Amino acid sequence: MRVYELANELGMENKELLKLLEEEFDLEIGSHMSGVDEDVADMVKELLEEETGEKEEIEEKTSEEKKDPVSEESSPLAESPAPEKEIIEVRGQITTEELAEKLGIQPNQAIKELIQLGEMATINQVLNPEAVELLAEEHGAEVIFEEEEEEGATLAEGRIQLDEDVPEDELEPRPPVITVMGHVDHGKTQLLDTIRQTDVVAGESGGITQEIGASEVKTEEGEFVFIDTPGHEAFTAMRARGAQVTDLVILVVAADDGVMPQTVESINHARSAGVPIIVAINKMDLPDSDVQRVYQQLSEQELIPEEWGGDTICVEVSALEAEGIDELLEMISLQAEMMDLKASPDRSTKGTIIEAEKKKGMGVTATVIVQQGTLEKGVPFVAGATSGKVKALINSYGDRVDEVKPGRPVEVLGFDDLASPGDFFEVMEDLSEAREIAEQRQDEIKDAQVQDQGRVTLDQLQEFIDKGKIQNFNIVVKADTQGGVEVLRDSFESIEADEVEVNVIHGGVGGINESDVRLATAAEGMIVGFNVRPDSRARRLANETGVEINTYRVIYEAIEDIKDAMAGMLEPEEEEEVIGVAEVREVFSISGVGTVAGCYVREGEVQRSAACRLVRDGAVVFDGPIISLKRFKEDVSDVAEGYECGIRLEKFNDIKEGDLLEIYQVREVTPEL
Ligand code: GDP
């Protein structure tokens, strides 16, 4: 039998039993998942029985000593043992009705008794712990409050709780987990491939690695774990779920191209997550590579290279020609050493899901980065809102293994259902408990979807500040010009407030895209756009995640709005709703009339009476009324999705093919009293 099974049977903590095995039987068993012989189990049971026997004797004696000899004689009850108290476990909060059920009484009776005990309770009321204890005591029961963070409310959030205060001698070094980020085409994929080729183990076994979402790479410079999907999308999507597995970011910057928009996005994503960055200046083999220019551009982003007296490590490489790779790995290794990355292989096993998949012949699988404890075959687990039992473990070399130490990625077979990247994975003691928790989480997720997602909105900003729900008010700023970004950044960051600090976590030129929404989601912030609009994917994602996007055409209004919202003085006057998007497919110039845009309605509908915004490359070029809407030659009041139409805008003729017309309505909103 396994240690945890025995511990369970004896009602002990795994740790306690492991310690007892070591101290009393000289058995050093590393993990609660390891097996113990039946006779050892029997010996432990005997020992414990003896101990409890002795304890009871002592207790009996001491209570006898305390007893008044007179009353003892006169008490007929003295001989009979005290009735055993029923134990009820309360996890998180409990209502009157739930407590009544646990005590086996009617809710009405519970209410009556609670009132007698001085607690004015209703049936659905969440009871305070004292009231729970009092009522339980009345019914001869003892209450054990379980820590909620172990299983309850934090589950839906999926945040991982690793053991703290693990003694140093229990910890073992683990490899750093690294994500490669940077602008498109700067060589992220190539760099990952080249680094993987330096692996000494894969080299020996023929070099066929398994695509599991993360790879172990063992090199002369040390051992590393790379997340296979480069770029900040996956990184931020996971962070938005409260998971962070990346210890270190390699920022790839092509030496011939320099710092580009996605480079800046990557820097801000890594920074917002508090993850250190090592820069790989790539494509050094190209004749027009210019390291000094890259240094200059990095410095503008406040990443001052060591070469320039700062503390950002920059390594010149050519991913294509495999130059400089050893030095890059050495730098990563040094950085990791400084971070002193360690984990305990003996604690309860926990980790994070990197990706999940249904595979032919393998069922539902997921790749887990084990972050604490040792993952073994055969154990039940819960991961996000799903559960399962580990059928097999496959590492990134494609080998089936029996156990995985912390810090390593592994593909786990045996999931009941698909997990999501970023989900928290935890080994449980039995499968039915794991399934129960998964179901409970499914309910929690459903509830959370119904309820307000708790994201910051301008309307609720002051409430959030007052309740201390936010200390940092994070804003992503997008504008049509760099000047606009700078003005907004400076203005927002100079807003003085006692309880909250305003941070512009990313500022960029151009339309609002999915990456901006992801960043705002992860940072629990909002997006402010000046003269720019979200594209439809960003709009959809923002709707799903509840991130607020506020766009302005006047800088002053943007600044005033944020200030007013922080002071709780925001007056909601108008609310805008985008009702359709039309794409300009052809442009006709008609003398005496002006420019007519031949459009295709991509989403929603176009209404003649609605207002229209002309968006080119994400920036707002025109904002005003539609003066004519035609289908063929007929004037019409609306045109539905999937149809073509001709649109003329008031006093605006600079229309170009590919422009988007965003059709919107403005509603008056009566402020809530
Ligand atoms: P990603 O979009 O950042 O993943 O970029 P890729 O790794 O796909 O690389 C984009 C292009 O740059 C490909 O054609 C690569 O062959 C090329 N490339 C990558 N690294 C280097 C390099 O060090 N030198 C040169 N000359 N080309 C490179």
Side-chain angles (χ1 to χ4, degrees), residues 233-246:
E233 285 79 6
F235 174 83
T236 312
M238 298 228 331
R239 213 160 72 76
R241 304 183 57 99
Q244 183 163 318
V245 289
T246 301

Side-chain angles (χ1 to χ4, degrees), residues 182-191 230 252 282-286 317-322:
H183 196 69
V184 63
D185 276 348
H186 279 196
K188 300 182 288 292
T189 315
Q190 181 69 52
L191 182 66
V252 178
N282 189 30
K283 307 201 185 183
M284 284 305 295
D285 55 293
L286 292 179
V317 302
S318 164
L320 198 64
E321 297 187 349

Side-chain angles (χ1 to χ4, degrees), residues 368-652:
V368 177
I369 289 196
V370 180
Q371 288 165 290
Q372 174 181 292
T374 303
L375 180 57
E376 294 178 350
K377 256 169 66 174
V379 296
F381 60 82
V382 59
T386 180
S387 49
K389 193 166 179 170
V390 179
K391 273 200 225 149
L393 295 166
I394 304 176
N395 68 15
S396 63
Y397 296 111
D399 302 327
R400 285 185 178 244
V401 290
D402 291 332
E403 59 164 40
V404 186
K405 294 279 179 205
R408 277 77 174 173
V410 69
E411 184 170 29
V412 177
L413 275 63
F415 277 75
D416 292 339
D417 210 340
L418 273 179
S420 305
D423 276 345
F424 169 34
F425 174 97
E426 186 178 11
V427 167
M428 302 300 298
E429 305 212 332
D430 73 64
L431 188 57
S432 56
E433 191 189 354
R435 294 211 163 117
E436 203 177 296
I437 293 176
E439 272 167 32
Q440 188 188 331
R441 288 186 193 178
Q442 283 163 15
D443 293 342
E444 278 177 34
I445 289 168
K446 270 187 224 139
D447 289 349
Q449 280 166 347
V450 175
Q451 283 169 17
D452 170 24
Q453 308 199 19
R455 302 252 178 260
V456 185
T457 64
L458 275 189
D459 280 344
Q460 303 162 332
L461 185 55
Q462 195 222 3
E463 199 185 313
F464 270 69
I465 296 173
D466 284 353
K467 289 194 180 150
K469 280 198 202 163
I470 55 169
Q471 274 79 46
N472 289 303
F473 174 32
N474 295 328
I475 310 179
V476 172
V477 169
K478 293 301 284 279
D480 57 343
T481 61
Q482 190 59 35
V485 176
E486 295 311 326
V487 171
L488 284 174
R489 181 199 294 274
D490 292 347
S491 311
F492 288 157
E493 290 190 337
S494 61
I495 294 176
E496 303 254 334
D498 292 340
E499 301 88 354
V500 64
E501 191 177 334
V502 186
N503 298 321
V504 173
I505 50 169
H506 175 59
V509 176
I512 298 162
N513 57 30
E514 278 181 301
S515 163
D516 299 324
V517 179
R518 286 212 187 87
L519 181 54
T521 313
E524 294 179 345
M526 69 166 66
I527 300 174
V528 170
F530 171 65
N531 267 348
V532 291
R533 298 292 303 164
D535 59 31
S536 40
R537 281 166 46 189
R539 203 152 10 99
R540 217 168 294 140
L541 188 62
N543 274 338
E544 279 169 24
T545 54
V547 163
E548 189 167 83
I549 302 179
N550 290 295
T551 57
Y552 300 89
R553 297 269 289 156
V554 182
I555 284 213
Y556 168 79
E557 280 178 10
I559 299 163
E560 284 305 294
D561 252 15
I562 300 282
K563 278 193 189 160
D564 287 351
M566 288 177 70
M569 294 187 327
L570 191 71
E571 289 175 19
E573 292 155 356
E574 295 175 333
E575 202 175 76
E576 201 191 276
E577 189 193 2
V578 175
I579 58 168
V581 177
E583 183 188 323
V584 179
R585 295 229 163 138
E586 225 174 315
V587 180
F588 308 97
S589 271
I590 302 171
S591 61
V593 176
T595 307
V596 176
C599 298
Y600 171 79
V601 185
R602 279 206 335 207
E603 278 172 49
E605 62 171 354
V606 179
Q607 288 181 7
R608 162 75 182 75
S609 58
C612 170
R613 226 181 257 124
L614 187 140
V615 182
R616 188 174 298 155
D617 299 328
V620 181
V621 179
F622 163 87
D623 195 348
I626 295 172
I627 50 166
S628 128
L629 177 65
K630 284 183 195 277
R631 278 265 312 139
F632 303 108
K633 295 234 151 69
E634 298 286 310
D635 278 312
V636 289
S637 61
D638 46 61
V639 178
E641 184 171 318
Y643 289 96
E644 289 177 340
C645 59
I647 297 178
R648 256 189 329 121
L649 302 174
E650 190 174 79
K651 298 197 196 104
F652 189 80

